Amino acid sequence: MTTGGRTRAPFGVYVHVPFCRSRCDYCAFAAYTDRDHLMEAYTRACVEELTAAVAGEDLPEATSVFFGGGTPSRLPPDLLAAILDAVPRADGAEVTVECNPEDAGPDRLDRYRRAGVTRISLGVQSTVPHVLDGLGRRHTAGAVTAAARSVAAAGFASWNLDLIIGGAGETDADWERSLADLLALEDPPPHVSAYSLTVEPGTPLADDPARHPDDDVQARRYETADAVLTAAGYRWEEISNWARPGHECRHNRLYWDQGEYRGIGSAAHSHRNGRRWWNVRTPDRYVRELAAGRSPVGGEEVLTDDQRRFEALALRIRTREGVPTGALPDDPDLEGLVDRRGGRAVLTVRGRLLANAVTVRLDAGAASLGGRPAPGGPVRSLPMPEPESTTDAPPTGDLMEKVVGLCKRRGFIFQSAEIYGGFRSTYDYGPLGVNLLRNVKNAWWEAMVQRRSDVVGLDAAILSPPSVWQASGHLANFTDPLVDCRNCHQRWRQDKIDGVCPNCGSTEFTEARAFNLMFKTHAGPLEDEGAVAYLRPETAQGMFINFVNVLQTTRKKPPFGIAQVGKSFRNEITPQNFVFRTREFEQMEMEFFVPPAEAQTWFEYWLEERFQWYLGLGIPADKLRLRHHDPDELSHYSAGTADVEFLFPWGWDELEGIANRTDFDLKAHAAASGEKLDYFDPVTNERYTPYVIEPAAGATRTMMAFLLAAYDEDEVGGEPRTVLRIHPRLAPYQVAVLPLSKKESLEPLSQRVLSLLQPHFMVDYDVTQGIGKRYRRQDEVGTPWCVTIDFDSLEDDAVTVRERDSTDQVRVPVDGLLAELRSRMDGA
Ligand code: GAP
């Protein structure tokens, strides 16, 4: 839709296309290789979002439109044209489409031209075959030449060629060759972008330090690029962009000018009137929200004036115009990093390499931008899609999505470091989550320690020296076999994929490499080999190395156990499924030391005990099973292992492993330390090394299983409700005290009830909203009993107790309330 009329202030529309053929292993964008089936629905949703914005007079005519992603050229041209047609555009609007070279054939480009596209951005990255291979790109150098020819032949006067600096295996000569090849094209691109390969947390690249680019090498290649491009008549525009005069990208400029833009599609960001907002991240959800007539907005922020001023400077300092000299202090550290002339401070080439160090010295209060519109910033960061890394996508099925949503909405679990964009696969437990997790651990402790006279507790250190892990076999054996798919370059654990790449179906893989999962650090100020320490990958070893201490101080004798609950750390290759597999997690482990001849009997005993524990706390029997390991699955220490498995939304998976560890650990530590780690039986006069039966459960993983098993939806009084039918012992709050109204007259009695119950239960106290809404809020977080104080209570000194699952209500005298709730709790 092109409209005539007056061109107002620049306004951009960014359309996010989330589809990709394969995922590059350095990419953290919200792009998907398995959602092509959504293309048509996604197009309809984009058109709907645009149409609604136009109808709401919320979409000025665009002076630039940018299709990015993902791989926009993956979208059939007619679908792309349908979206573009719904964008109101000013006369002469710039319309850019990012395109893979292998897609840029004459037919597609011709259709783009006819649809109104004016500019192509080719994702070339390199022209050197082995570098392309390392980056996971499918095109050849020949495809680049052909694509450039087609772009020119189709009549695109302006186009861009994207390069990446620092792909694996790239040499200086390779980099120079890519630059030379682009200049040698029949019609060289009038605009060039060169981005340093950045290691995004959570990508396979991040897990492979050997392939991380070296800062000095990157800097050298950047300087080469600037010299070569400048000599060839390109003008430096912004850190990563060079253009021949007249071919600057208008859409980029808008971002660098902190201008206004509207993002369309999943994960797209928008900016208007100082407000920034972003759409929901996955295309599935985006389509669903629009189909249901709901807004696709997933979040928003409003910048303060100070933040806006600082951001404007931070964006502008990266550009050819620089900032007013007053914005930077006269600091000798900035020597050689900025050029000060004509009242402006502009980054030198070296300064561009250290732009962040310069940015932190900006003083927004000391300088205004001199009446010009506020400047904008790096193309790739602001309006582009939200990075993948902020939260793990819920894996499969509605249930998972609902439980993850509930956890966030009601404060069970937060993404860690969320205000900094999130630290992938790391979570913080909020006010409700911390109660629930604590209850899970307490229930375990009660069953495993408190109610037994043959098990004692321990809380060992998390940091331990290499000698522990050398002896335990973890340094040699605690590894995952890693393979890379030769086709799509995704990295996988070899033992999890049955020889077929789950991403692209290829059966071609690199040789497996052993990757040790332990987190290594240094204790003390020296970072040399003598100071190496490890974060424990299991709590178990703490029990083995304290075996004699416990034996001597408690006078226990086999069979007896040592139990521990605490954090463990594993540098998991594929952390996934919310808190199911994370790098930092909590374990609940018990090492049960037995005479060797009794090992099998105790193994079977603990299988039964542990299975019953989950059932007793409300996991339905049809969602729980025991699975014995095949001999080739067994860990290096195990003579037999069985897993308690739960039926997760993605299938059966492990909650707990119960293993017969034999005398492996005690003997290994005895041999390595020179200490005697055995037991002398004074009755039989026999000395032996006990065998160990180990039930090892994950607290965080188990908490998630309890949530999944408890989540339910039903109807109450014709109204839908969400209810967490969780066992009362696990519920974050056992009781909610709810005065019927905020009236002062109810307060003394409400406080009396609260004080009566708080020493015995976790109690929530809520006086906001109507009573029906408050019941729903408590149902949703699993509070088994609500105690309501009403005006009759002032007369009869009785309250109403409402039960969560049945919603049955009974009147109970305040005097008998504690006994009533205790008896319900005991009977649960
Ligand atoms: N000491 C034996 C041991 O650690 P494991 O099967 O590796 O055995 C025991 O771990 C339990 O710890 C698992 O069944 C699981 O519940 C939990 N667990 C292991 N790795 C985890 C991770 N990365 N994230 C969350 N929980 C994990």
Side-chain angles (χ1 to χ4, degrees), residues 30 59 62 65 107 158 224 229 393 529 559 572 681 792:
L59 197 68
V65 183
D107 180 48
S158 251
T224 305
L229 292 170
E529 273 305 302
E572 298 282 2
D681 187 333
D792 287 348

Side-chain angles (χ1 to χ4, degrees), residues 199 203-214 482 491 513 515 571:
V199 179
T203 57
L205 177 65
D207 289 329
D208 191 359
R211 288 194 297 140
H212 293 185
D214 176 277
L482 288 196
R491 175 153 304 163
R513 284 174 299 130
F515 175 84
N571 197 0

Side-chain angles (χ1 to χ4, degrees), residues 22 24 26 71 99-102 122-126 129 131-140 164 487-489:
S22 59
C24 303
Y26 52 85
T71 311
C99 209
N100 275 356
E102 67 270 35
L122 276 190
V124 167
Q125 324 311 6
S126 169
V131 180
L132 284 171
D133 205 32
L135 287 168
R137 304 304 300 240
R138 290 161 162 246
H139 59 266
T140 57
I164 285 185
N487 180 43
C488 70
H489 301 277

Side-chain angles (χ1 to χ4, degrees), residues 474 478 537-541 544 568 570 572 575 579-589 591 614 635 637 643-644 654-657 659 661 694 696-702:
H474 282 78
F478 197 55
E538 60 172 17
T539 61
Q541 297 304 321
F544 298 127
S568 292
R570 297 181 187 178
E572 298 282 2
V579 294
F580 177 81
R581 184 179 298 120
T582 49
R583 296 196 171 108
E584 175 178 346
F585 56 98
E586 278 196 87
Q587 288 188 307
M588 309 182 289
E589 298 195 290
E591 309 304 321
Y614 294 96
S635 310
Y637 50 71
D643 288 344
V644 178
E654 174 187 341
L655 280 182
E656 166 163 359
R661 291 183 78 124
E694 175 197 64
T700 35
R701 185 179 287 188
T702 299

Side-chain angles (χ1 to χ4, degrees), residues 691-816:
Y691 268 37
V692 173
I693 308 303
E694 175 197 64
T700 35
R701 185 179 287 188
T702 299
M703 162 182 163
M704 179 174 157
F706 282 125
L707 280 171
L708 286 163
Y711 185 94
D712 197 12
E713 290 168 355
D714 64 3
E715 261 188 25
V716 172
E719 295 278 318
R721 79 162 173 166
T722 298
V723 54
L724 210 54
R725 299 188 195 279
I726 199 151
H727 194 287
R729 290 186 56 199
L730 301 181
Y733 291 112
Q734 279 85 47
V735 187
V737 172
L738 310 175
L740 189 62
S741 112
K742 280 186 190 157
K743 288 239 167 65
E744 270 179 27
S745 55
L746 292 183
E747 202 176 327
L749 180 56
S750 304
Q751 288 300 333
R752 196 179 120 216
V753 170
L754 198 57
S755 316
L756 175 75
L757 301 179
Q758 270 175 333
H760 308 277
F761 302 106
M762 277 304 297
V763 187
D764 192 17
Y765 183 72
D766 188 3
V767 283
T768 58
Q769 299 185 307
I771 192 71
K773 282 219 169 97
R774 279 183 278 162
Y775 284 152
R776 295 290 170 282
R777 282 178 62 78
Q778 297 297 337
D779 290 345
E780 196 181 42
V781 299
T783 311
W785 301 293
C786 289
V787 173
T788 309
I789 294 107
D790 56 26
F791 293 99
D792 287 348
S793 307
L794 301 177
E795 306 294 323
D796 61 3
D797 206 40
V799 291
T800 301
V801 175
R802 172 190 180 270
E803 200 270 332
R804 174 193 70 199
D805 295 346
S806 61
T807 74
D808 286 348
Q809 303 190 6
V810 292
R811 200 81 182 155
V812 178
V814 174
D815 277 353

Side-chain angles (χ1 to χ4, degrees), residues 61 143 282 383 655 675 739 825:
E61 288 174 355
T282 64
L655 280 182
E675 297 289 330
M825 189 74 180

